[in-house]
Amino acid sequence: MKPCCPGNPLDRYASRREFLYVGLLGGLGMTLPGFLQQALGAQKDYPLREGVAKGIIHIFLPGGIAHQESFDPKPFAPAEYRGPFGAIDTKLKGVQFGQHMKDLAQIADKFTVIRSMSHGEAAHERGTHNMFTGYRPSPAVEYPSIGSIISHEMGPQNNLPPYVCVPSVPNEFANSGFLSSAYGPFALGSDPAQGNFQVRDLSLPKGVTDERFARRRSLLETVDHHFRTLEKSDALDSMDAFYQHAYKLISSQQAREAFNLAAEPDALKDEYGRTQAGQRMLLARRLIEGGVRFVSLTAGGWDHHDNLKAGIEKELPPVDKALATLIRDLERRGMLDSTLVVVTSEFGRTPKVNPTGGRDHWPRVFSVMMAGGGVNQGYVHGASDALGGEPEQDMVTVSDLATTMYNQIGITADKELMSPGNRPIEICDGGKVLDSILAKKA
């Protein structure tokens, strides 16, 4: 290719390939063409309902947090079932949490706890698949994640990706499944808990000024006009639309600002905690506030087969502090009613403490927390039995939980999507909306 303009050597050559390296999405969990196709908007079979929630924050505790040490303690069980910790009173009369959930105990009147979640998958991968997709794993179908479904059905707003993972895509089941990769997550590429946090490749590459960027855009428009004149190609018109959306995201100060954690005051960062959990949850709130539809983040590691006591003492206090602050922060900003916060794990832990002082995998019953987004405040749904081994009342399935999440954001869960084999598959099969956990309309 011949030089196109004088000056900096970096400006002398331009091609379509060059415009794919403007520094937007490389290495962020999805390709630029994929994001651009997504940005044009998903095809919808029928209009979305108006959801109570405008956005969802999904906080996943990988490894399987022990429900006995968190939301469902068993203080009157024998010691080998009760575990190494006591229980503390909450804001709700007669409801107790594990002793390391002091901050959440003080605002238990702000959220719902489900103590009767259940599924049959005791392996990490299969349990994680359940919680991210609402489906049991199948060798025949690669199901899309809840975030990808929301991306597909709702599309972007405010020039922001609809689905963001903090700090990275946590597992293979957080992806788009049988949907196009266009609906996969936008991953940050770095952890907001790091002092030098910035979203990799969101801004223009080093050495590319706004003036140079505009000049490249002008050049692209000239080249595209030439190709259109010669080829009269509909595909080129479509490609032009993709590029327009790329430029909007790169050049939008509003979009960049949503990721600017440095703009948050130090006092608020301290309130969340200068921890992995704290800074990830703070960024999640900022992204939802900016217009992201679904933020998925992980916090801690909870696979405590050995020395459960030390593991809980290390992992739970910072999550307790951060989560309580997130709920208070959303409420202060008037965002709690329109933001659904969901805290899950792939399963719970065995009722009995094992010989090495840990608890093993236990999917038969475990706990989930939900706040905001039209969910009841100060409510406990369902119950496990006296030893924390089985659902005793109002069992909740994975598909029930996913259906309720979709319902709150305005998606009908039994809508059918077409898989690559031209087979209709419901967004979520067999679940019911958990009406009893939803706030009653005035």
Side-chain angles (χ1 to χ4, degrees), residues 86-122:
I88 57 173
D89 291 334
T90 71
K91 205 77 173 288
L92 303 178
K93 185 178 180 180
V95 175
Q96 294 186 314
F97 292 165
Q99 73 177 64
H100 290 291
M101 302 189 80
K102 297 177 181 177
D103 290 328
L104 285 170
Q106 292 304 308
I107 61 164
D109 57 338
K110 303 292 185 185
F111 54 83
T112 282
V113 172
I114 299 173
R115 286 177 165 174
S116 53
M117 278 297 305
S118 182
H119 64 68
E121 305 293 346

Side-chain angles (χ1 to χ4, degrees), residues 300-337:
W302 309 88
D303 196 20
H304 298 138
H305 291 278
D306 307 299
N307 200 358
L308 173 74
K309 183 176 186 297
I312 291 293
E313 287 174 342
K314 175 186 176 184
E315 301 286 0
L316 193 48
V319 170
D320 173 58
K321 176 183 175 73
L323 186 52
T325 301
L326 174 63
I327 294 169
R328 289 194 298 262
D329 193 17
L330 288 169
E331 186 174 48
R332 287 194 297 256
R333 293 168 183 271
M335 294 174 59
L336 186 59
D337 288 343

Side-chain angles (χ1 to χ4, degrees), residues 211-279:
E211 182 181 355
R212 285 180 62 199
F213 181 65
R215 188 159 63 244
R216 290 183 178 191
R217 179 177 185 175
S218 177
L219 174 63
L220 176 64
E221 289 169 347
T222 300
V223 172
D224 280 348
H225 176 73
H226 173 73
F227 277 112
R228 281 197 305 271
T229 302
L230 292 178
E231 301 176 25
K232 304 294 184 183
S233 171
D234 292 338
L236 285 173
D237 289 336
S238 177
M239 185 64 71
D240 262 353
F242 293 162
Y243 279 123
Q244 290 297 326
H245 284 282
Y247 282 116
K248 285 181 181 179
L249 180 59
I250 297 169
S251 60
S252 167
Q253 185 60 37
Q254 182 182 15
R256 295 187 199 178
E257 192 61 24
F259 293 90
N260 183 17
L261 198 57
E264 296 292 339
D266 286 341
L268 186 59
K269 291 179 181 178
D270 291 338
E271 187 181 351
Y272 274 88
R274 305 275 183 151
T275 61
Q276 178 198 82
Q279 298 309 292

Side-chain angles (χ1 to χ4, degrees), residues 58 60 117-138 143-147 171-174 294 342 344-348 362-364 366 368 396-403 405-406 427-429:
H58 176 215
F60 187 68
M117 278 297 305
S118 182
H119 64 68
E121 305 293 346
H124 286 293
E125 294 79 7
R126 295 178 69 84
T128 299
H129 180 284
N130 284 359
M131 304 311 293
F132 273 80
T133 69
Y135 271 93
R136 292 186 65 185
S138 167
Y143 293 104
S145 65
I146 294 171
N171 55 71
E172 61 186 301
F173 313 118
F294 189 92
V342 184
T344 71
S345 199
E346 60 259 51
F347 39 55
W362 195 258
R364 294 184 191 176
F366 57 106
V368 163
V396 174
T397 69
V398 170
S399 56
D400 292 338
L401 179 66
T403 296
M405 292 169 66
Y406 287 131
I427 287 175
C428 191
D429 183 27

Side-chain angles (χ1 to χ4, degrees), residues 337-356:
D337 288 343
S338 61
T339 304
L340 179 62
V341 179
V342 184
V343 183
T344 71
S345 199
E346 60 259 51
F347 39 55
R349 311 302 291 192
T350 49
K352 191 173 183 179
V353 177
N354 66 30
T356 59

Side-chain angles (χ1 to χ4, degrees), residues 19-26 28 200-205 250:
F19 287 96
L20 295 179
Y21 290 93
V22 293
L24 173 60
L25 294 172
L28 291 182
R200 185 176 64 211
D201 299 335
L202 185 62
S203 59
L204 296 174
I250 297 169

